[in-house]
Amino acid sequence: MPDAMVAASRSEATRGSTTQPVDVAVVGAGFAGLHLLHRLRKAGFATVVLEEADDVGGTWYWNRYPGARCDIQSIDYSYSFDPELERAWKWSEKYATQPEILRYLGFVADRYDLRRDIRFGTRITAATWDQDAEHWRLTTNHGETVSCRTYIMATGCLSAPKPPEIDGVKDFKGEVYFTGRWPHQEVKFTGKRVAVIGTGSSGIQAIPLIAEQAAHLTVFQRTPSFALPAQNGVAPADRVALLEGDRASYREQARWSLTGVPYPQQTAVSWQLSDAERRERFDEAWAKGDLVYILTQLWADQGVDVDGNALLAELIREKIRATVKDPETAAALSPHDHPFGAKRPCLDSNYYATYNRSNVTLVNLRQEPITSITASGINTEKRRFDVDVIVFATGFDAMTGAIMAVHPITGRGGRSLSEVWADGPQTYLGLTVAGFLNLFMITGPGSPSVLSNMAVSIEQHVDWVVDRLIAMREAGFTTIEATETAQAGWARHMADCATLTLHRLANTWYTGANVPGKARGVMPYTGGVGPYRSICNEVVSHDMLGFKLSGPNVAEQCNDGEIVRLQPDVRLVLNMLADMKLPPLESFGAKGARDFLAEFNAARPAGRPVGEVVEGTLPGNDGPLPYLLYRPATPGPHPIVVYFHGGGWVLGDQQSDDPFCRDLCRRSGMIFVSVGYRHAPEHRFPTAAEDGYAATRWIAEHAAELGGRPGAVMVAGWSAGANIAAVTCQLARDRGGPQISGQLLVCPVTDCSFDRASYNDNATGYFLTRSLMYWFWDLYCSPADRTDPRVSPLRGKLEGLPQALVATCEFDPLRDEGVAYADALAAAGVPVEQLNARGHFHSSLTMVDVVITGVSGRVQMAEALRRFAGLAAENSQGYEDVRAGRTASPHQIASAAE
Ligand code: NAP
């Protein structure tokens, strides 16, 4: 018997004939609800859509304010599930107006005969999971109920308008409008004194048009937004040609892109471009009028790095100053308190120029906050403004507001969603919530949603959910529920992704900061549309990882676990390497592996500028050794760190960890001398160790000549280089110098034993494999020599060694020997700090600007070096400090941003 009939027989008997039994109830008839209804019906699910408005359209039904348009190009902001539909509809403009988008959604509803299953004017007042019946019971504002096995919230991210939180709104005797609930009849502003409160996307679109009509317009701005000219008109010929040239491929590229719009990934970084080149790129982007383009195509670091971002932000502020004639108004309109893109940037038509009109006044609420609204207007701390009309463009209780508006939603065990989300929304994939069986959200918190082309994200979610319902039906499962483990893992992955971008540095509706009392945290998934899609696919291919499935006649299925344990950028790097299907590095032979590494390094982004980089040679034990000296731009003399590169004693050279050396040189304010020690198999054990020691001694003796601070030096290294650094400390202690004040050991080789768990757990799949390590050992050191402390420092005497920071990575075969060394140092009385980098692999911390989530680890390293050198720690206060290069942990940044 189909689900709906089972439901009918149960619920009608118990609850009376006002209950509508269906398989699936969908709330909302916007982009998501319409597509859901179409797909669910085609799949044979009895479906009803419940919609509060009296027609389809969702956000485009409610937001009818003057100037309302999409700000993703219309050719991208469209359904792609049916090529026939694509052919049947042609947009008239690059960015369609609200009426045109509403017509489109009406056209879609008619084309697939959707309205007959939509109950308009129907609001859900409560939703309760009935565990015995395995059904949701939805109560509506009309008193009727709907009984459904699956309940899907397609309520949109920006559909619950936020109250303006200003005293006296109700006292105002003039006209009041909310952009998010605009009346259907035309609103006339002619001859009126109008106030607009709010300068987000809605205000910025409406202000120029209201200004054209009003006798006087006063704009009340609390925080200025970054806005770019839409340059609207016909759709750009190049984009249309791309789409029409190969529609299927264009759409597919969009599905796998980061934003849901098919632009390539930008690789050039800001510091590789000259001022003129950056300006040229910026001017081109400005002329294009395309948010996604400017957010992704200028330089790769602008969305992830405060310095790269600040360059772009300043270019935009320059445009504002060039457009707005009154310098004070221009200054007030120029955002300084958040990185570009961290708060939703806007597309405008004539916005900044509107402030040159004589009938427009900007009130900077940062200087004179609103104190109250009265019968006749608005009072600030300094002035009184009498107005006839107030337009509230004050935004939404975003992402969670519309979901929580159904209250209560009661899941398993009688727990309500508002209880479960009291400290912020928790979801698995942004689609489901543990404890709420058979409940799905389309673009819920945790989905790429508002950071993507919504049309693409919605289609992905709809397809994924409907495909799961079909698969469950085929397998005989009747319930699905996310596990707590999976949900907690998703929260961690979300947080990891959020450290990648700059969204955490702004107080925005993305983080819940616009609603007083709302829990704070970056709510949308910041890891990108394509990665998100691949994760959802992986959940399925791993037997619905993180879901419990049950049914009356089948065994319960639960493959519990976390879907992403790697850091997001590590996952991308490893997937990219896996896609390259490279043969094992050891199969190239030593020369081939060296050539490969050189080529691989050449393709990586260049390291950042430092004060200067000097090439030199120093006398080694058997002839000169090359070195590279990285000097900070700050006045010296600086403490010196002697650095040894990684490469298994076989590969690499003084240049191969260049980005890492530059990064630590900048962060610590110290000279880094990267030493080119001799390699195996030409020079076997103990050459590398003895070269390392000899180089350190020479550098310490010549510190002043090198421009460094005389006295103790520090040593640092990565992988086999960390092995050399550790050994150098032991040799220096035993051979009477040089004086070493600290050792930084990053993923060190410390022992010749291969039976620790990490050697097995991470034997393959994380670039440095167990067999590659065997190969390195074989080339460098015969089995008889391996227990010598000059290659296995863990077997040496550890008392009296310099203080240390030992960094290890979770997915590294060398993890456990690094931890063992740190533990052994501590046991020997050496002050030691451990950095266990969760979700990272062997190369993570040195892959500067590729593995951005390694930043906090490098910050910790720089702090440790400063401590070793007896220098003061650096403190960060907030965004301006971050922008000025004073770094902080993500936690510090978040709290400072608040
Ligand atoms: P918004 O971006 O949240 O902007 C609300 C504005 O109102 C902000 O300037 C805010 O200042 C201000 N505000 C809120 N409460 C206030 C108060 N009590 N006193 C003074 N000012 C107050 O909302 P929105 O403009 O409606 O846009 C929301 C999102 O919808 C956009 O970011 C975008 O994603 C989407 N949208 C898209 C389009 C489009 O596609 N073209 C158009 C409209 C909206 P603070 O910043 O200081 O809080």
Side-chain angles (χ1 to χ4, degrees), residues 60 63 65 67-72 77 158 162-166 179-180 197-205 220-225 343-347 365-366 370 393-396 450 507-510 513-514:
W60 299 105
N63 286 270
Y65 60 85
R69 293 175 185 274
C70 58
D71 56 10
I72 296 281
Y77 189 64
L158 295 154
K162 174 185 89 86
E165 309 118 13
I166 301 172
T179 48
I197 302 179
T199 51
S201 299
S202 305
I204 281 176
Q205 286 185 333
F220 294 82
Q221 171 194 274
R222 194 162 61 185
T223 312
S225 300
K343 194 177 174 105
R344 174 67 146 75
C346 312
L347 270 195
L365 299 181
R366 295 284 176 212
I370 295 177
T394 38
F396 300 89
V450 290
N507 289 324
T508 67
W509 59 258
Y510 292 141
N514 68 327

Side-chain angles (χ1 to χ4, degrees), residues 580-814:
M580 289 163 77
K581 298 199 186 338
L582 296 168
L585 200 53
E586 57 273 31
S587 68
F588 292 135
K591 177 174 181 320
R594 285 172 192 158
D595 292 347
F596 169 82
L597 192 71
E599 206 178 311
F600 184 79
N601 282 340
R604 281 166 55 179
R608 289 184 183 226
V610 293
E612 70 169 341
V613 182
V614 183
E615 284 181 37
T617 52
L618 55 89
N621 286 332
D622 298 310
L625 298 175
Y627 69 79
L628 273 184
L629 183 147
Y630 299 86
R631 195 186 312 284
T634 49
H638 307 94
I640 294 184
V641 180
V642 183
Y643 180 80
F644 302 106
H645 66 83
W649 309 285
V650 176
L651 313 175
D653 56 29
Q654 66 278 12
Q655 172 123 37
S656 55
D657 293 345
D658 176 82
F660 185 52
C661 289
R662 286 171 183 266
D663 190 79
L664 285 186
C665 165
R666 287 167 60 99
R667 285 181 196 282
S668 63
M670 295 181 189
I671 289 177
F672 265 63
V673 185
S674 174
V675 177
Y677 55 89
R678 285 171 295 165
H679 289 150
E682 297 85 347
H683 305 278
R684 287 169 61 83
F685 170 83
T687 309
E690 293 295 346
D691 279 358
Y693 172 69
T696 306
R697 201 182 48 203
W698 185 87
I699 291 165
E701 283 164 3
H702 296 81
E705 274 165 57
L706 296 170
R709 197 177 71 178
V713 295
M714 287 156 283
V715 292
W718 167 54
S719 194
N723 171 270
I724 296 169
V727 169
T728 296
C729 290
Q730 296 192 9
L731 296 180
R733 177 201 55 197
D734 299 342
R735 296 179 184 176
Q739 202 192 334
I740 297 176
S741 65
Q743 46 182 330
L744 167 62
L745 310 179
V746 183
C747 304
V749 181
T750 68
D751 193 24
C752 56
S753 159
F754 307 122
D755 54 6
R756 292 187 175 85
S758 58
Y759 250 94
N760 286 320
D761 297 349
N762 307 317
T764 58
Y766 303 106
F767 196 60
L768 176 66
T769 61
R770 181 172 56 189
S771 78
L772 183 57
M773 272 314 296
Y774 289 165
W775 183 67
F776 285 145
W777 272 100
D778 289 344
L779 291 190
Y780 182 52
C781 194
S782 68
D785 288 331
R786 290 185 188 177
T787 53
D788 189 312
R790 285 177 298 167
V791 69
S792 290
L794 184 59
R795 298 183 186 236
K797 178 184 155 209
L798 303 181
E799 285 74 15
L801 288 177
Q803 56 186 319
L805 170 67
V806 181
T808 54
C809 291
E810 185 181 4
F811 296 99
D812 181 0
L814 305 185

Side-chain angles (χ1 to χ4, degrees), residues 104-174:
Y104 171 70
L105 293 170
F107 174 80
V108 171
D110 292 341
R111 186 177 174 91
Y112 303 105
D113 188 20
L114 299 178
R115 284 195 174 86
R116 69 181 156 88
D117 283 323
I118 305 177
R119 283 167 61 181
F120 293 109
T122 304
R123 189 163 39 82
I124 308 295
T125 50
T128 310
W129 173 249
D130 180 337
Q131 183 67 50
D132 296 333
E134 291 189 345
H135 274 88
W136 281 97
R137 187 158 48 83
L138 312 183
T139 314
T140 70
N141 54 336
H142 304 305
E144 298 153 355
T145 56
V146 173
S147 165
C148 55
R149 175 148 285 163
T150 305
Y151 163 38
I152 308 181
M153 297 291 274
T155 36
C157 297
L158 295 154
S159 31
K162 174 185 89 86
E165 309 118 13
I166 301 172
D167 287 345
V169 176
K170 287 204 175 76
D171 300 337
F172 183 61
K173 296 277 186 271

Side-chain angles (χ1 to χ4, degrees), residues 23 50 111 123 162 200 245 257 303 393 425 473 478 530 540 556 560 568 595 649 654 685 723 779 796 833 837 877:
D23 297 327
L50 305 156
R111 186 177 174 91
R123 189 163 39 82
K162 174 185 89 86
S257 67
R473 183 176 59 188
T478 48
V540 178
E556 188 176 281
D560 202 3
D595 292 347
W649 309 285
Q654 66 278 12
F685 170 83
N723 171 270
L779 291 190
E833 180 183 353
Q877 300 301 316

